[in-house]
Amino acid sequence: QLQLVESGGGLVQAGGSLRLSCAASGRIFSSYGMGWFRQAPGKEREFVAAIRWSGGSIHYTDSVKGRFTISRDNAKNTVYLQMNSLKPEDTAVYYCSAGDPYAIATHERDYDYWGQGTQVTVSS
């Protein structure tokens, strides 16, 4: 089993920044492609960003392009999501996930492991 633990969420004003971290343990972290998803109140969980095992390929949903950056440090077994220019509509619980190392997966079904989530609240 791969365990994932997110951290770094919180309350921030619009225009501010947060950096989320997701620490992995239990298996070889570099064997997995990683993703970030989010779920706002009353909405379905949606894809945010994904990164291949090597970090060589990355994909973002359109609404966060130019504002969010996904990265990973395989030596530290951690994936990050740097979020800049935050907007109230970014308010959600953010989840990290692990799946196929070679895929840039955008669907929940393509991921095998999930963290518990971290709350991000952006005030206007």
Side-chain angles (χ1 to χ4, degrees):
Q1 290 287 338
L2 182 72
Q3 289 81 42
L4 302 173
V5 179
E6 301 95 337
S7 62
L11 174 64
V12 64
Q13 289 188 332
S17 299
L18 284 173
R19 188 176 82 154
L20 306 184
S21 300
C22 174
S25 62
R27 288 198 172 185
I28 300 174
F29 177 68
S30 59
S31 298
Y32 296 91
M34 300 299 294
W36 285 97
F37 287 74
R38 64 187 180 186
Q39 186 168 21
K43 296 187 178 181
E44 295 186 351
R45 190 153 55 182
E46 65 173 357
F47 169 77
V48 176
I51 186 168
R52 199 170 280 179
W53 75 273
S54 64
S57 293
I58 289 172
H59 181 65
Y60 299 98
T61 192
D62 286 345
S63 63
V64 308
K65 285 180 180 177
R67 301 189 298 122
F68 290 12
T69 302
I70 187 172
S71 63
R72 65 188 295 161
D73 185 338
N74 287 344
K76 295 183 177 180
N77 295 337
T78 303
V79 62
Y80 304 97
L81 186 68
Q82 177 66 45
M83 306 186 295
N84 298 329
S85 301
L86 283 161
K87 304 175 181 180
E89 51 262 44
D90 294 318
T91 295
V93 177
Y94 283 71
Y95 300 89
C96 73
S97 55
D100 187 319
Y102 299 102
I104 303 294
T106 62
H107 295 284
E108 291 184 61
R109 63 177 178 266
D110 295 320
Y111 290 89
D112 302 311
Y113 300 100
W114 293 84
Q116 293 300 306
T118 186
Q119 176 71 47
V120 171
T121 303
V122 185
S123 63
S124 57

